[in-house]
Amino acid sequence: MQIPQDMARGVALMEVSGYQEIRIENFKSICSYYDTQIRVLAAGYMIEIEGKNLHIAYYSELLMRITGCIASVRFNRRD
């Protein structure tokens, strides 16, 4: 069985659809969840999503879908 390289390395995958939706796969956990900011822990870094009316529309062990008016996405390394 072939495992995709990104999943084998533990790398999070993101798909951004305009400024209204982000899908994140292969994340570790949700660190904070507010309607103006959502912080998600991934392997070696934190993903910070800022905007207005942010909402986690779907959440599972492998996939998360965030909707709202997304203003920025920032990555902060965690060494």
Side-chain angles (χ1 to χ4, degrees), residues 18 21 25 37 42 45 48-49 51 53-54 67-68 73-74 76 78-79:
E21 180 178 293
E25 295 181 48
Q37 182 189 64
Y45 55 96
E48 295 180 4
I49 300 153
N53 301 319
L54 298 178
T67 60
V73 179
R74 185 173 42 222
N76 291 318
R78 297 176 53 92
D79 296 324

Side-chain angles (χ1 to χ4, degrees), residues 26-39:
N26 203 24
F27 59 92
K28 301 279 186 193
S29 64
I30 298 170
C31 293
S32 64
Y33 178 21
Y34 301 99
D35 66 341
T36 58
Q37 182 189 64
I38 298 175
R39 294 174 59 216

Side-chain angles (χ1 to χ4, degrees), residues 14 16 20 44-45 50-51 62 65 69:
M14 290 182 47
V16 180
Q20 296 179 331
Y45 55 96
E50 294 183 345
L62 301 173
R65 185 168 64 96
C69 184

Side-chain angles (χ1 to χ4, degrees), residues 1-66:
M1 182 159 136
Q2 288 280 8
I3 298 175
Q5 286 183 355
D6 50 2
M7 296 215 44
R9 293 183 310 180
V11 175
L13 297 175
M14 290 182 47
E15 178 182 320
V16 180
S17 299
Y19 62 88
Q20 296 179 331
E21 180 178 293
I22 294 179
R23 291 170 34 111
I24 304 173
E25 295 181 48
N26 203 24
F27 59 92
K28 301 279 186 193
S29 64
I30 298 170
C31 293
S32 64
Y33 178 21
Y34 301 99
D35 66 341
T36 58
Q37 182 189 64
I38 298 175
R39 294 174 59 216
V40 178
L41 181 62
Y45 55 96
M46 181 78 65
I47 303 168
E48 295 180 4
I49 300 153
E50 294 183 345
K52 294 181 183 177
N53 301 319
L54 298 178
H55 174 72
I56 297 176
Y58 177 80
Y59 175 84
S60 75
E61 191 175 298
L62 301 173
L63 174 67
M64 175 186 326
R65 185 168 64 96
I66 299 170

